[in-house]
Amino acid sequence: MASEDCYELRNALTLGNYNQVIGEAPSIKPSPYSAKSTDQKDLTIERDYLLARARMGIKMYSAAIRDLESSTDRSHRALVCLAEYLKADSSSAKAKAVETAKEIVDSAMRDEGEASEKSTLMAITCATVLMHAGELNTAHIWIKTWISSLTKKQNAQDPSSCGPNALLLELHALLVDIYLRINRIEHAENELKAMDKIDEDSAISVLWHAWVLLRKGGDKDAKEALRNFNELKDKYGNTCMLLNGAALCHMAVREFEEALKVLEEALSIRENDVDVMINTMICQKQLRPSTDNKTMLEVVRSAGPSHPWVWEYNRLSDGFEDAAALVQNL
């Protein structure tokens, strides 16, 4: 289930242009001349899914939940589950969301008997929940299952049809993400090759090539990654995500002044973006070690309490305080 009518929205969502999705989604409506009523229903489901996902991108979790909580569609239920996970401020609430995601997938497999194209958005979303929770193995199994099923069906149908291609690209991108998280660059590159066979010029393929190049390290790869981010910016416009990626490329080759300029531009788009604020503090310290980042640090800790960098900072800070107390008591 991936309509050509939602092509631009999917690209915008992939690149972090959430306001574009929120602004344009309401204008996408089923054609009264559609041959199948199921096509109209599927378009509405995908449009509402993308709209809610964009709201989640700007942390409007309650709005996303409110829009979809009455829906019986599994992809919508999965997205409510993801919103609940991201919104949760307790480990028990997050654990409940993870269990719900597993129940949704199990229910779909029991009812449909296979990993179908119809349930792919649901699988992508539930796998994302588990990735946030660190349950990468189960997420990996789900994604591989859906890739195998969709690939077989695509080979038996029209290989140029939009639906399977768009969904397969998203599934492969999730695998790239998983492999980067566990430092298996070689497997991530294999997934990129699979994406290139489907559509090497797609926004999602170019984006994930950039992330893999950046992760590989080295000046040459960082500069090539920067070209990818700039290509996407030139084609689709600036987004906070693309600017942050470009800044990371500059940081990788020790161009901190240039990185800081790009990060300031990103903050002008979304002033409370946690990743951008973290990288801004790092650049400021590299350029001016005496810089006082306490105010921005508190904003970061408040805006992203579950962010991996914030969690690690708090862990190290607490450890330092404990060690200092021990020394004082000697």
Side-chain angles (χ1 to χ4, degrees):
M1 182 177 67
S3 169
E4 291 185 11
D5 292 323
C6 291
Y7 174 80
E8 294 295 338
L9 292 187
R10 285 196 300 273
N11 276 346
L13 187 65
T14 295
L15 301 176
N17 197 338
Y18 306 119
N19 288 332
Q20 179 184 341
V21 179
I22 292 170
E24 296 181 4
S27 65
I28 295 180
K29 299 178 181 178
S31 169
Y33 306 106
S34 176
K36 299 179 181 179
S37 61
T38 53
D39 291 342
Q40 298 183 32
K41 181 180 178 182
D42 288 348
L43 175 60
T44 301
I45 288 172
E46 185 179 9
R47 178 202 64 197
D48 292 348
Y49 174 96
L50 295 172
L51 176 57
R53 193 73 186 261
R55 286 186 170 135
M56 290 165 60
I58 56 175
K59 301 187 184 302
M60 294 177 61
Y61 303 126
S62 296
I65 293 169
R66 183 178 62 250
D67 288 348
L68 300 181
E69 61 186 352
S70 63
S71 174
T72 59
D73 179 76
R74 282 196 176 99
S75 67
H76 288 179
R77 288 173 54 207
L79 197 55
V80 169
C81 181
L82 177 58
E84 293 282 9
Y85 181 93
L86 295 174
K87 179 185 176 184
D89 55 7
S90 69
S91 58
S92 60
K94 289 183 180 295
K96 181 180 178 181
V98 170
E99 289 307 310
T100 301
K102 293 177 180 179
E103 291 170 4
I104 292 172
V105 173
D106 289 343
S107 174
M109 291 296 284
R110 284 195 305 269
D111 293 348
E112 298 179 17
E114 62 176 353
S116 67
E117 179 182 344
K118 179 182 177 182
S119 61
T120 303
L121 271 183
M122 172 218 69
I124 289 170
T125 312
C126 289
T128 302
V129 174
L130 266 62
M131 289 168 67
H132 278 290
E135 296 192 22
L136 301 183
N137 187 52
T138 302
H140 181 269
I141 292 171
W142 288 349
I143 298 165
K144 294 286 281 187
T145 299
W146 260 265
I147 287 177
S148 176
S149 179
L150 263 63
T151 300
K152 289 178 182 177
K153 291 180 180 179
Q154 184 189 49
N155 292 337
Q157 299 171 358
D158 177 8
S160 65
S161 60
C162 173
N165 283 343
L167 295 170
L168 277 169
L169 283 171
E170 289 194 46
L171 288 164
H172 283 294
L174 280 181
L175 284 184
V176 175
D177 192 354
I178 288 176
Y179 292 136
L180 290 182
R181 291 176 188 227
I182 60 175
N183 296 315
R184 298 303 300 267
I185 303 295
E186 71 280 11
H187 291 318
E189 290 182 313
N190 287 336
E191 295 305 320
L192 288 178
K193 291 176 183 177
M195 294 175 74
D196 286 345
K197 288 181 180 179
I198 298 170
D199 187 355
E200 64 180 345
D201 296 322
S202 66
I204 194 170
S205 295
V206 176
L207 177 66
W208 281 101
H209 268 286
W211 289 125
V212 172
L213 285 165
L214 186 57
R215 186 62 174 272
K216 286 172 69 175
D219 289 4
K220 181 180 178 182
D221 287 325
K223 290 178 180 177
E224 186 175 348
L226 179 60
R227 284 194 289 272
N228 280 23
F229 284 119
N230 286 337
E231 175 187 332
L232 291 170
K233 287 194 298 173
D234 291 342
K235 188 173 183 179
Y236 298 101
N238 283 343
T239 70
C240 198
M241 177 194 297
L242 294 179
L243 289 167
N244 187 59
L248 286 169
C249 295
H250 287 297
M251 293 167 69
V253 295
R254 300 162 298 283
E255 295 174 350
F256 294 105
E257 285 279 7
E258 188 61 33
L260 193 56
K261 292 178 184 177
V262 177
L263 291 167
E264 288 171 352
E265 187 175 357
L267 287 174
S268 71
I269 295 175
R270 195 181 315 139
E271 62 181 4
N272 63 344
D273 187 277
V274 175
D275 289 318
V276 174
M277 287 191 288
I278 290 169
N279 290 328
T280 297
M281 290 190 297
I282 293 170
C283 284
Q284 289 173 340
K285 281 293 185 182
Q286 288 289 335
L287 292 168
R288 294 173 287 278
S290 61
T291 300
D292 184 357
N293 285 323
K294 289 182 179 179
T295 301
M296 183 173 285
L297 177 59
E298 288 308 310
V299 174
V300 167
R301 295 172 79 173
S302 175
S306 60
H307 190 284
W309 186 93
V310 175
W311 187 90
E312 182 66 10
Y313 179 91
N314 290 337
R315 186 185 70 82
L316 293 173
S317 180
D318 291 343
F320 179 83
E321 294 294 336
D322 292 342
L326 287 173
V327 171
Q328 289 178 349
N329 291 331
L330 289 178

